[in-house]
Every structure is written in structure tokens, then in C-alpha cells.
């Protein structure tokens, strides 16, 4: 039976890029919620809210909300604010960054396997996918970096720092515009406080 929550709670983890994005966005919008860091591998209680047992998962009253995109919308609806205008190109850039983050997460899962169990072809495809994504984001750097903070920037900055954390920081050599921007953006307090560790 689901437990009624006094205050909306966002469950995340110490290294989850998607939980990081949602937490920062909720705080930027001024949403009313608490954040609880969990070990998703042992957090069986989360199954009653999210059968996928994935983070981020938001629990508000007796309602569970999961998937970062849905949580972004929840924060916008609950606060009456949103940082992005209806702009399909901007939404596409967000989708690309989320897809790149997912590819990096899949790469991480492959690399955690014993060496003789890793799918070399899959790893190669994931590396190529991440490379194409970051190159395209660099081509869009002027659009990404202009203006005030918004969801697009939060997602892309977290995605790029996740590449640093789980894959490589080599992208910075070729993507000089993104590199310069992320170095400044990452000085934000909310970015520093949520930086993945471990």
C-alpha cells in the first residue's frame, strides 16, 4: 500500500545524472519538495511507487511520477513556471542531451561487466553515438549558451559533466565553446552541490 507523503519527495542517487537534472530544475523553479538520496540497488521500497525501480522517482501524496521529462513537467505545473518557451528546436536539443546521457549510462553498465562479458561492438556503437551527440551540441553552442538559465542549459551541462565522470573529458579539446561555457556554468552552487561522486 502506498504511503501518503506530507511533502513531495524526489528520490535520487549520488551519481544519477537524471536525478541531478530534476533536482536542479525543481530548485530553480522554486518547487516545494524534499530530496532524498538512496541506493537504488537496495531500495526495495521504491518498487511500490516505481515498478522499474529507477531514479529519479517523485512521490507526491499517493501519486508516483517517474522519468525525468515527466518530473520536469510536474515541477512546471506545480509552480506555474517554466523556463523554456514552446520551441521544437530547443526541445530537440534537450532530447539529444538526454539521449547522450542515456548512452553514457549504458556505456557505464557495459564497462562494469567482467571484461570477458563485455559487448565490444555495443561499446563501440555507444562511443560513436556519444561522439556524434557532443559534436552536434557544439555546433549548436551559440543557441545553447545564450540567455538566462533554463531547462535546456541544466540538462546539457549535467549531461556533459556526466561524460567527464563516466566516459572521458576528451570532448572538451574539440568542443571549445561548450567547454568554456560549462566551466562557468558549473560554478553555480546547485551544480557544485549535486556533482556526482564515487
Amino acid at each position: 500500500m502506498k504511503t501518503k507523503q506530507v511533502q513531495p519527495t524526489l528520490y535520487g542517487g549520488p551519481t544519477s545524472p537524471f536525478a541531478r537534472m530534476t533536482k536542479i530544475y525543481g530548485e530553480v523553479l522554486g518547487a516545494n519538495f524534499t530530496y532524498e538520496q538512496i541506493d537504488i540497488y537496495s531500495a526495495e521500497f521504491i518498487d511500490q511507487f516505481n515498478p522499474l525501480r529507477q531514479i529519479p522517482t517523485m512521490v507526491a501524496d499517493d501519486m508516483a511520477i517517474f522519468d525525468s521529462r515527466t518530473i520536469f513537467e510536474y515541477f512546471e505545473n506545480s509552480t506555474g513556471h517554466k523556463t523554456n518557451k514552446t520551441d521544437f528546436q530547443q526541445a530537440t536539443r534537450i532530447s539529444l542531451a538526454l539521449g547522450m546521457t542515456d548512452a553514457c549510462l549504458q556505456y557505464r553498465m557495459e564497462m562494469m561487466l567482467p571484461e570477458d562479458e563485455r559487448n565490444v561492438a555495443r561499446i563501440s556503437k555507444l562511443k560513436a553515438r556519444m561522439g556524434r551527440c557532443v559534436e552536434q551540441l557544439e555546433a549548436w553552442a551559440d543557441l545553447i549558451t545564450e540567455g538566462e538559465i533554463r531547462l535546456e542549459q541544466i540538462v546539457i551541462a549535467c549531461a556533459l559533466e556526466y561524460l567527464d565522470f563516466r566516459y572521458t573529458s576528451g570532448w572538451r579539446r574539440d568542443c571549445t565553446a561548450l567547454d568554456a561555457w560549462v566551466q562557468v556554468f558549473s560554478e553555480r552552487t546547485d551544480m557544485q552541490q549535486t556533482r556526482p561522486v564515487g
Side-chain angles (χ1 to χ4, degrees), residues 68-113:
S68 53
R69 291 177 185 272
T70 311
I71 297 172
F72 294 151
E73 288 189 37
Y74 168 81
F75 283 142
E76 291 172 349
N77 290 338
S78 64
T79 62
H81 301 294
K82 62 185 300 184
T83 61
N84 285 351
K85 298 178 181 179
T86 302
D87 178 337
F88 291 115
Q89 291 184 326
Q90 192 171 146
T92 296
R93 293 193 293 271
I94 291 172
S95 293
L96 184 66
L98 290 173
M100 182 178 72
T101 305
D102 184 62
C104 191
L105 186 60
Q106 291 179 49
Y107 168 82
R108 165 65 176 172
M109 298 304 291
E110 284 286 343
M111 297 305 292
M112 287 176 67
L113 295 172

mmCIF file of all heavy atoms in Angstrom, residues 68-113:
data_model
loop_
_atom_site.group_PDB
_atom_site.id
_atom_site.type_symbol
_atom_site.label_atom_id
_atom_site.label_comp_id
_atom_site.label_asym_id
_atom_site.label_seq_id
_atom_site.Cartn_x
_atom_site.Cartn_y
_atom_site.Cartn_z
ATOM 1 N N SER A 68 12.520 11.548 -16.023
ATOM 2 C CA SER A 68 12.914 12.936 -15.805
ATOM 3 C C SER A 68 12.032 13.927 -16.554
ATOM 4 O O SER A 68 11.685 14.988 -16.024
ATOM 5 C CB SER A 68 14.382 13.136 -16.206
ATOM 6 O OG SER A 68 14.629 12.671 -17.514
ATOM 7 N N ARG A 69 11.627 13.597 -17.777
ATOM 8 C CA ARG A 69 10.781 14.525 -18.534
ATOM 9 C C ARG A 69 9.461 14.790 -17.815
ATOM 10 O O ARG A 69 8.975 15.922 -17.766
ATOM 11 C CB ARG A 69 10.478 13.961 -19.925
ATOM 12 C CG ARG A 69 11.663 13.906 -20.868
ATOM 13 C CD ARG A 69 11.227 13.249 -22.169
ATOM 14 N NE ARG A 69 12.319 13.041 -23.089
ATOM 15 C CZ ARG A 69 12.721 13.937 -23.981
ATOM 16 N NH1 ARG A 69 12.132 15.111 -24.048
ATOM 17 N NH2 ARG A 69 13.723 13.658 -24.793
ATOM 18 N N THR A 70 8.870 13.733 -17.266
ATOM 19 C CA THR A 70 7.599 13.874 -16.570
ATOM 20 C C THR A 70 7.771 14.692 -15.297
ATOM 21 O O THR A 70 6.907 15.510 -14.946
ATOM 22 C CB THR A 70 7.018 12.489 -16.223
ATOM 23 O OG1 THR A 70 7.056 11.671 -17.391
ATOM 24 C CG2 THR A 70 5.588 12.595 -15.740
ATOM 25 N N ILE A 71 8.884 14.499 -14.621
ATOM 26 C CA ILE A 71 9.148 15.271 -13.404
ATOM 27 C C ILE A 71 9.398 16.737 -13.741
ATOM 28 O O ILE A 71 8.963 17.635 -13.008
ATOM 29 C CB ILE A 71 10.318 14.649 -12.615
ATOM 30 C CG1 ILE A 71 9.941 13.238 -12.160
ATOM 31 C CG2 ILE A 71 10.675 15.507 -11.396
ATOM 32 C CD1 ILE A 71 11.067 12.443 -11.533
ATOM 33 N N PHE A 72 10.083 17.004 -14.852
ATOM 34 C CA PHE A 72 10.238 18.392 -15.297
ATOM 35 C C PHE A 72 8.863 19.043 -15.433
ATOM 36 O O PHE A 72 8.639 20.169 -14.968
ATOM 37 C CB PHE A 72 10.944 18.463 -16.668
ATOM 38 C CG PHE A 72 12.373 17.996 -16.691
ATOM 39 C CD1 PHE A 72 12.911 17.448 -17.851
ATOM 40 C CD2 PHE A 72 13.187 18.092 -15.577
ATOM 41 C CE1 PHE A 72 14.231 17.024 -17.902
ATOM 42 C CE2 PHE A 72 14.516 17.670 -15.616
ATOM 43 C CZ PHE A 72 15.034 17.132 -16.782
ATOM 44 N N GLU A 73 7.941 18.354 -16.075
ATOM 45 C CA GLU A 73 6.598 18.884 -16.283
ATOM 46 C C GLU A 73 5.854 19.048 -14.963
ATOM 47 O O GLU A 73 5.114 20.022 -14.764
ATOM 48 C CB GLU A 73 5.806 17.970 -17.219
ATOM 49 C CG GLU A 73 6.258 18.021 -18.661
ATOM 50 C CD GLU A 73 5.304 17.265 -19.586
ATOM 51 O OE1 GLU A 73 4.085 17.321 -19.353
ATOM 52 O OE2 GLU A 73 5.790 16.617 -20.515
ATOM 53 N N TYR A 74 6.049 18.089 -14.064
ATOM 54 C CA TYR A 74 5.405 18.186 -12.744
ATOM 55 C C TYR A 74 5.844 19.469 -12.040
ATOM 56 O O TYR A 74 5.015 20.204 -11.479
ATOM 57 C CB TYR A 74 5.748 16.968 -11.891
ATOM 58 C CG TYR A 74 5.363 17.131 -10.444
ATOM 59 C CD1 TYR A 74 4.043 16.915 -10.022
ATOM 60 C CD2 TYR A 74 6.296 17.535 -9.498
ATOM 61 C CE1 TYR A 74 3.681 17.098 -8.693
ATOM 62 C CE2 TYR A 74 5.937 17.714 -8.171
ATOM 63 C CZ TYR A 74 4.637 17.495 -7.770
ATOM 64 O OH TYR A 74 4.281 17.677 -6.456
ATOM 65 N N PHE A 75 7.137 19.743 -12.056
ATOM 66 C CA PHE A 75 7.641 20.958 -11.410
ATOM 67 C C PHE A 75 7.061 22.209 -12.072
ATOM 68 O O PHE A 75 6.708 23.182 -11.400
ATOM 69 C CB PHE A 75 9.165 20.996 -11.453
ATOM 70 C CG PHE A 75 9.839 20.107 -10.441
ATOM 71 C CD1 PHE A 75 10.995 19.404 -10.771
ATOM 72 C CD2 PHE A 75 9.344 19.976 -9.149
ATOM 73 C CE1 PHE A 75 11.618 18.599 -9.835
ATOM 74 C CE2 PHE A 75 9.960 19.170 -8.206
ATOM 75 C CZ PHE A 75 11.109 18.480 -8.547
ATOM 76 N N GLU A 76 6.972 22.201 -13.387
ATOM 77 C CA GLU A 76 6.415 23.355 -14.095
ATOM 78 C C GLU A 76 4.947 23.559 -13.739
ATOM 79 O O GLU A 76 4.501 24.692 -13.495
ATOM 80 C CB GLU A 76 6.587 23.162 -15.603
ATOM 81 C CG GLU A 76 8.047 23.237 -16.053
ATOM 82 C CD GLU A 76 8.243 22.865 -17.511
ATOM 83 O OE1 GLU A 76 7.305 22.350 -18.142
ATOM 84 O OE2 GLU A 76 9.365 23.086 -18.011
ATOM 85 N N ASN A 77 4.200 22.461 -13.707
ATOM 86 C CA ASN A 77 2.775 22.567 -13.391
ATOM 87 C C ASN A 77 2.543 22.971 -11.935
ATOM 88 O O ASN A 77 1.630 23.746 -11.626
ATOM 89 C CB ASN A 77 2.065 21.234 -13.667
ATOM 90 C CG ASN A 77 1.968 20.943 -15.148
ATOM 91 O OD1 ASN A 77 2.043 21.845 -15.973
ATOM 92 N ND2 ASN A 77 1.805 19.679 -15.504
ATOM 93 N N SER A 78 3.348 22.432 -11.021
ATOM 94 C CA SER A 78 3.137 22.710 -9.599
ATOM 95 C C SER A 78 3.557 24.122 -9.212
ATOM 96 O O SER A 78 3.042 24.684 -8.241
ATOM 97 C CB SER A 78 3.891 21.693 -8.732
ATOM 98 O OG SER A 78 5.289 21.801 -8.906
ATOM 99 N N THR A 79 4.495 24.710 -9.973
ATOM 100 C CA THR A 79 4.944 26.069 -9.662
ATOM 101 C C THR A 79 4.281 27.129 -10.544
ATOM 102 O O THR A 79 4.284 28.313 -10.214
ATOM 103 C CB THR A 79 6.470 26.197 -9.840
ATOM 104 O OG1 THR A 79 6.812 25.948 -11.214
ATOM 105 C CG2 THR A 79 7.203 25.222 -8.926
ATOM 106 N N GLY A 80 3.733 26.687 -11.670
ATOM 107 C CA GLY A 80 3.161 27.642 -12.617
ATOM 108 C C GLY A 80 4.226 28.371 -13.414
ATOM 109 O O GLY A 80 3.958 29.385 -14.053
ATOM 110 N N HIS A 81 5.445 27.842 -13.391
ATOM 111 C CA HIS A 81 6.551 28.468 -14.117
ATOM 112 C C HIS A 81 7.220 27.448 -15.031
ATOM 113 O O HIS A 81 7.191 26.257 -14.773
ATOM 114 C CB HIS A 81 7.604 29.018 -13.148
ATOM 115 C CG HIS A 81 7.080 30.028 -12.182
ATOM 116 N ND1 HIS A 81 6.612 31.267 -12.558
ATOM 117 C CD2 HIS A 81 6.942 29.973 -10.836
ATOM 118 C CE1 HIS A 81 6.216 31.934 -11.496
ATOM 119 N NE2 HIS A 81 6.400 31.165 -10.427
ATOM 120 N N LYS A 82 7.819 27.955 -16.074
ATOM 121 C CA LYS A 82 8.671 27.125 -16.922
ATOM 122 C C LYS A 82 9.727 28.026 -17.532
ATOM 123 O O LYS A 82 9.477 29.219 -17.772
ATOM 124 C CB LYS A 82 7.874 26.390 -18.000
ATOM 125 C CG LYS A 82 7.150 27.269 -18.991
ATOM 126 C CD LYS A 82 6.294 26.442 -19.952
ATOM 127 C CE LYS A 82 7.098 25.466 -20.749
ATOM 128 N NZ LYS A 82 6.268 24.730 -21.749
ATOM 129 N N THR A 83 10.900 27.495 -17.749
ATOM 130 C CA THR A 83 11.995 28.315 -18.261
ATOM 131 C C THR A 83 12.127 28.239 -19.766
ATOM 132 O O THR A 83 12.793 29.066 -20.370
ATOM 133 C CB THR A 83 13.331 27.887 -17.625
ATOM 134 O OG1 THR A 83 13.592 26.518 -17.966
ATOM 135 C CG2 THR A 83 13.296 28.039 -16.116
ATOM 136 N N ASN A 84 11.513 27.233 -20.374
ATOM 137 C CA ASN A 84 11.601 27.078 -21.827
ATOM 138 C C ASN A 84 10.304 27.501 -22.490
ATOM 139 O O ASN A 84 9.225 27.124 -22.041
ATOM 140 C CB ASN A 84 11.885 25.624 -22.205
ATOM 141 C CG ASN A 84 13.325 25.226 -21.954
ATOM 142 O OD1 ASN A 84 14.152 26.073 -21.660
ATOM 143 N ND2 ASN A 84 13.618 23.955 -22.067
ATOM 144 N N LYS A 85 10.417 28.255 -23.556
ATOM 145 C CA LYS A 85 9.252 28.551 -24.370
ATOM 146 C C LYS A 85 8.976 27.339 -25.258
ATOM 147 O O LYS A 85 9.812 26.460 -25.404
ATOM 148 C CB LYS A 85 9.496 29.790 -25.228
ATOM 149 C CG LYS A 85 9.740 31.063 -24.422
ATOM 150 C CD LYS A 85 10.019 32.234 -25.340
ATOM 151 C CE LYS A 85 10.276 33.505 -24.532
ATOM 152 N NZ LYS A 85 10.576 34.674 -25.405
ATOM 153 N N THR A 86 7.775 27.306 -25.839
ATOM 154 C CA THR A 86 7.470 26.215 -26.762
ATOM 155 C C THR A 86 8.313 26.407 -28.017
ATOM 156 O O THR A 86 8.051 27.277 -28.829
ATOM 157 C CB THR A 86 5.972 26.210 -27.115
ATOM 158 O OG1 THR A 86 5.224 26.079 -25.919
ATOM 159 C CG2 THR A 86 5.649 25.055 -28.043
ATOM 160 N N ASP A 87 9.333 25.619 -28.112
ATOM 161 C CA ASP A 87 10.319 25.768 -29.170
ATOM 162 C C ASP A 87 10.805 24.364 -29.511
ATOM 163 O O ASP A 87 11.514 23.735 -28.724
ATOM 164 C CB ASP A 87 11.470 26.641 -28.659
ATOM 165 C CG ASP A 87 12.599 26.825 -29.675
ATOM 166 O OD1 ASP A 87 12.735 25.984 -30.578
ATOM 167 O OD2 ASP A 87 13.357 27.797 -29.537
ATOM 168 N N PHE A 88 10.399 23.863 -30.668
ATOM 169 C CA PHE A 88 10.723 22.485 -31.006
ATOM 170 C C PHE A 88 12.225 22.262 -31.195
ATOM 171 O O PHE A 88 12.726 21.167 -30.934
ATOM 172 C CB PHE A 88 9.946 22.046 -32.245
ATOM 173 C CG PHE A 88 8.471 21.905 -31.990
ATOM 174 C CD1 PHE A 88 7.559 22.729 -32.628
ATOM 175 C CD2 PHE A 88 7.990 20.967 -31.095
ATOM 176 C CE1 PHE A 88 6.198 22.609 -32.390
ATOM 177 C CE2 PHE A 88 6.639 20.837 -30.839
ATOM 178 C CZ PHE A 88 5.731 21.658 -31.494
ATOM 179 N N GLN A 89 12.947 23.279 -31.638
ATOM 180 C CA GLN A 89 14.389 23.122 -31.782
ATOM 181 C C GLN A 89 15.050 22.994 -30.413
ATOM 182 O O GLN A 89 15.958 22.186 -30.220
ATOM 183 C CB GLN A 89 14.969 24.303 -32.563
ATOM 184 C CG GLN A 89 14.557 24.302 -34.033
ATOM 185 C CD GLN A 89 15.213 25.414 -34.802
ATOM 186 O OE1 GLN A 89 15.443 26.508 -34.286
ATOM 187 N NE2 GLN A 89 15.527 25.153 -36.068
ATOM 188 N N GLN A 90 14.575 23.803 -29.466
ATOM 189 C CA GLN A 90 15.103 23.727 -28.113
ATOM 190 C C GLN A 90 14.767 22.372 -27.493
ATOM 191 O O GLN A 90 15.612 21.745 -26.841
ATOM 192 C CB GLN A 90 14.517 24.864 -27.270
ATOM 193 C CG GLN A 90 15.184 25.062 -25.940
ATOM 194 C CD GLN A 90 14.711 26.330 -25.252
ATOM 195 O OE1 GLN A 90 14.625 26.369 -24.048
ATOM 196 N NE2 GLN A 90 14.400 27.371 -26.005
ATOM 197 N N ALA A 91 13.538 21.909 -27.710
ATOM 198 C CA ALA A 91 13.124 20.602 -27.198
ATOM 199 C C ALA A 91 13.968 19.492 -27.811
ATOM 200 O O ALA A 91 14.307 18.507 -27.147
ATOM 201 C CB ALA A 91 11.649 20.372 -27.497
ATOM 202 N N THR A 92 14.339 19.657 -29.077
ATOM 203 C CA THR A 92 15.178 18.667 -29.748
ATOM 204 C C THR A 92 16.571 18.632 -29.143
ATOM 205 O O THR A 92 17.167 17.558 -28.969
ATOM 206 C CB THR A 92 15.255 18.966 -31.257
ATOM 207 O OG1 THR A 92 13.947 18.838 -31.814
ATOM 208 C CG2 THR A 92 16.186 17.998 -31.967
ATOM 209 N N ARG A 93 17.099 19.795 -28.793
ATOM 210 C CA ARG A 93 18.422 19.834 -28.163
ATOM 211 C C ARG A 93 18.383 19.145 -26.795
ATOM 212 O O ARG A 93 19.334 18.443 -26.416
ATOM 213 C CB ARG A 93 18.907 21.282 -28.038
ATOM 214 C CG ARG A 93 19.190 21.933 -29.391
ATOM 215 C CD ARG A 93 19.953 23.233 -29.251
ATOM 216 N NE ARG A 93 19.208 24.304 -28.608
ATOM 217 C CZ ARG A 93 18.422 25.172 -29.244
ATOM 218 N NH1 ARG A 93 18.244 25.067 -30.559
ATOM 219 N NH2 ARG A 93 17.804 26.130 -28.585
ATOM 220 N N ILE A 94 17.288 19.329 -26.070
ATOM 221 C CA ILE A 94 17.126 18.644 -24.789
ATOM 222 C C ILE A 94 17.080 17.140 -25.014
ATOM 223 O O ILE A 94 17.727 16.364 -24.298
ATOM 224 C CB ILE A 94 15.856 19.135 -24.068
ATOM 225 C CG1 ILE A 94 16.027 20.583 -23.612
ATOM 226 C CG2 ILE A 94 15.528 18.241 -22.866
ATOM 227 C CD1 ILE A 94 14.760 21.217 -23.062
ATOM 228 N N SER A 95 16.319 16.712 -26.018
ATOM 229 C CA SER A 95 16.214 15.280 -26.323
ATOM 230 C C SER A 95 17.578 14.693 -26.673
ATOM 231 O O SER A 95 17.905 13.569 -26.269
ATOM 232 C CB SER A 95 15.239 15.051 -27.480
ATOM 233 O OG SER A 95 13.928 15.392 -27.100
ATOM 234 N N LEU A 96 18.367 15.440 -27.435
ATOM 235 C CA LEU A 96 19.692 14.955 -27.809
ATOM 236 C C LEU A 96 20.575 14.774 -26.575
ATOM 237 O O LEU A 96 21.260 13.755 -26.425
ATOM 238 C CB LEU A 96 20.353 15.914 -28.797
ATOM 239 C CG LEU A 96 21.714 15.461 -29.323
ATOM 240 C CD1 LEU A 96 21.581 14.211 -30.180
ATOM 241 C CD2 LEU A 96 22.391 16.573 -30.120
ATOM 242 N N ALA A 97 20.539 15.762 -25.679
ATOM 243 C CA ALA A 97 21.361 15.682 -24.473
ATOM 244 C C ALA A 97 20.911 14.539 -23.573
ATOM 245 O O ALA A 97 21.742 13.836 -22.983
ATOM 246 C CB ALA A 97 21.318 17.005 -23.720
ATOM 247 N N LEU A 98 19.603 14.328 -23.461
ATOM 248 C CA LEU A 98 19.099 13.214 -22.658
ATOM 249 C C LEU A 98 19.501 11.881 -23.281
ATOM 250 O O LEU A 98 19.873 10.932 -22.578
ATOM 251 C CB LEU A 98 17.582 13.303 -22.524
ATOM 252 C CG LEU A 98 17.038 14.446 -21.655
ATOM 253 C CD1 LEU A 98 15.514 14.507 -21.753
ATOM 254 C CD2 LEU A 98 17.468 14.293 -20.204
ATOM 255 N N GLY A 99 19.435 11.795 -24.610
ATOM 256 C CA GLY A 99 19.843 10.578 -25.299
ATOM 257 C C GLY A 99 21.325 10.304 -25.135
ATOM 258 O O GLY A 99 21.745 9.152 -24.970
ATOM 259 N N MET A 100 22.134 11.357 -25.168
ATOM 260 C CA MET A 100 23.570 11.200 -24.966
ATOM 261 C C MET A 100 23.855 10.710 -23.542
ATOM 262 O O MET A 100 24.721 9.852 -23.325
ATOM 263 C CB MET A 100 24.289 12.531 -25.212
ATOM 264 C CG MET A 100 25.796 12.455 -25.081
ATOM 265 S SD MET A 100 26.622 14.038 -25.428
ATOM 266 C CE MET A 100 26.177 14.982 -23.969
ATOM 267 N N THR A 101 23.111 11.247 -22.588
ATOM 268 C CA THR A 101 23.275 10.822 -21.199
ATOM 269 C C THR A 101 22.912 9.353 -21.038
ATOM 270 O O THR A 101 23.601 8.597 -20.341
ATOM 271 C CB THR A 101 22.394 11.684 -20.267
ATOM 272 O OG1 THR A 101 22.699 13.059 -20.483
ATOM 273 C CG2 THR A 101 22.642 11.340 -18.811
ATOM 274 N N ASP A 102 21.846 8.934 -21.699
ATOM 275 C CA ASP A 102 21.439 7.536 -21.631
ATOM 276 C C ASP A 102 22.507 6.634 -22.259
ATOM 277 O O ASP A 102 22.801 5.551 -21.737
ATOM 278 C CB ASP A 102 20.096 7.346 -22.338
ATOM 279 C CG ASP A 102 19.579 5.925 -22.201
ATOM 280 O OD1 ASP A 102 19.333 5.494 -21.054
ATOM 281 O OD2 ASP A 102 19.435 5.233 -23.220
ATOM 282 N N ALA A 103 23.084 7.082 -23.353
ATOM 283 C CA ALA A 103 24.152 6.298 -23.995
ATOM 284 C C ALA A 103 25.351 6.162 -23.065
ATOM 285 O O ALA A 103 25.966 5.095 -22.970
ATOM 286 C CB ALA A 103 24.578 6.963 -25.310
ATOM 287 N N CYS A 104 25.667 7.221 -22.350
ATOM 288 C CA CYS A 104 26.782 7.187 -21.410
ATOM 289 C C CYS A 104 26.477 6.250 -20.249
ATOM 290 O O CYS A 104 27.360 5.521 -19.777
ATOM 291 C CB CYS A 104 27.076 8.593 -20.899
ATOM 292 S SG CYS A 104 28.625 8.728 -19.985
ATOM 293 N N LEU A 105 25.224 6.249 -19.804
ATOM 294 C CA LEU A 105 24.816 5.339 -18.726
ATOM 295 C C LEU A 105 24.913 3.889 -19.192
ATOM 296 O O LEU A 105 25.394 3.023 -18.450
ATOM 297 C CB LEU A 105 23.387 5.673 -18.292
ATOM 298 C CG LEU A 105 22.829 4.936 -17.083
ATOM 299 C CD1 LEU A 105 23.678 5.193 -15.849
ATOM 300 C CD2 LEU A 105 21.388 5.350 -16.832
ATOM 301 N N GLN A 106 24.482 3.611 -20.427
ATOM 302 C CA GLN A 106 24.594 2.260 -20.972
ATOM 303 C C GLN A 106 26.061 1.843 -21.110
ATOM 304 O O GLN A 106 26.418 0.690 -20.846
ATOM 305 C CB GLN A 106 23.905 2.194 -22.336
ATOM 306 C CG GLN A 106 22.387 2.334 -22.274
ATOM 307 C CD GLN A 106 21.774 2.285 -23.660
ATOM 308 O OE1 GLN A 106 22.075 1.394 -24.449
ATOM 309 N NE2 GLN A 106 20.929 3.247 -23.968
ATOM 310 N N TYR A 107 26.898 2.787 -21.520
ATOM 311 C CA TYR A 107 28.336 2.526 -21.617
ATOM 312 C C TYR A 107 28.891 2.145 -20.251
ATOM 313 O O TYR A 107 29.666 1.189 -20.120
ATOM 314 C CB TYR A 107 29.038 3.772 -22.161
ATOM 315 C CG TYR A 107 30.542 3.737 -22.048
ATOM 316 C CD1 TYR A 107 31.317 3.074 -22.995
ATOM 317 C CD2 TYR A 107 31.185 4.372 -20.984
ATOM 318 C CE1 TYR A 107 32.697 3.037 -22.891
ATOM 319 C CE2 TYR A 107 32.566 4.339 -20.869
ATOM 320 C CZ TYR A 107 33.322 3.674 -21.820
ATOM 321 O OH TYR A 107 34.688 3.639 -21.705
ATOM 322 N N ARG A 108 28.486 2.875 -19.233
ATOM 323 C CA ARG A 108 28.933 2.597 -17.874
ATOM 324 C C ARG A 108 28.533 1.183 -17.444
ATOM 325 O O ARG A 108 29.329 0.450 -16.863
ATOM 326 C CB ARG A 108 28.344 3.634 -16.921
ATOM 327 C CG ARG A 108 28.406 3.291 -15.437
ATOM 328 C CD ARG A 108 29.824 3.209 -14.929
ATOM 329 N NE ARG A 108 29.848 2.985 -13.494
ATOM 330 C CZ ARG A 108 30.941 2.722 -12.793
ATOM 331 N NH1 ARG A 108 32.109 2.666 -13.402
ATOM 332 N NH2 ARG A 108 30.890 2.519 -11.487
ATOM 333 N N MET A 109 27.294 0.786 -17.758
ATOM 334 C CA MET A 109 26.815 -0.541 -17.379
ATOM 335 C C MET A 109 27.626 -1.633 -18.083
ATOM 336 O O MET A 109 27.928 -2.668 -17.494
ATOM 337 C CB MET A 109 25.328 -0.681 -17.709
ATOM 338 C CG MET A 109 24.429 0.294 -16.959
ATOM 339 S SD MET A 109 24.608 0.219 -15.164
ATOM 340 C CE MET A 109 23.890 -1.387 -14.836
ATOM 341 N N GLU A 110 27.965 -1.397 -19.349
ATOM 342 C CA GLU A 110 28.790 -2.369 -20.075
ATOM 343 C C GLU A 110 30.179 -2.490 -19.452
ATOM 344 O O GLU A 110 30.712 -3.592 -19.294
ATOM 345 C CB GLU A 110 28.928 -1.969 -21.547
ATOM 346 C CG GLU A 110 27.711 -2.250 -22.399
ATOM 347 C CD GLU A 110 27.532 -3.739 -22.704
ATOM 348 O OE1 GLU A 110 28.510 -4.513 -22.534
ATOM 349 O OE2 GLU A 110 26.429 -4.122 -23.095
ATOM 350 N N MET A 111 30.748 -1.356 -19.071
ATOM 351 C CA MET A 111 32.100 -1.352 -18.538
ATOM 352 C C MET A 111 32.173 -1.931 -17.128
ATOM 353 O O MET A 111 33.258 -2.292 -16.656
ATOM 354 C CB MET A 111 32.668 0.074 -18.550
ATOM 355 C CG MET A 111 32.812 0.667 -19.943
ATOM 356 S SD MET A 111 33.804 -0.356 -21.081
ATOM 357 C CE MET A 111 35.432 -0.193 -20.338
ATOM 358 N N MET A 112 31.039 -2.038 -16.459
ATOM 359 C CA MET A 112 31.004 -2.634 -15.125
ATOM 360 C C MET A 112 31.036 -4.166 -15.190
ATOM 361 O O MET A 112 31.307 -4.831 -14.195
ATOM 362 C CB MET A 112 29.754 -2.176 -14.367
ATOM 363 C CG MET A 112 29.811 -0.731 -13.905
ATOM 364 S SD MET A 112 28.271 -0.198 -13.107
ATOM 365 C CE MET A 112 28.281 -1.224 -11.614
ATOM 366 N N LEU A 113 30.755 -4.721 -16.370
ATOM 367 C CA LEU A 113 30.786 -6.169 -16.533
ATOM 368 C C LEU A 113 32.225 -6.677 -16.533
ATOM 369 O O LEU A 113 33.149 -5.937 -16.874
ATOM 370 C CB LEU A 113 30.106 -6.554 -17.853
ATOM 371 C CG LEU A 113 28.616 -6.261 -17.996
ATOM 372 C CD1 LEU A 113 28.172 -6.527 -19.433
ATOM 373 C CD2 LEU A 113 27.805 -7.100 -17.017
#
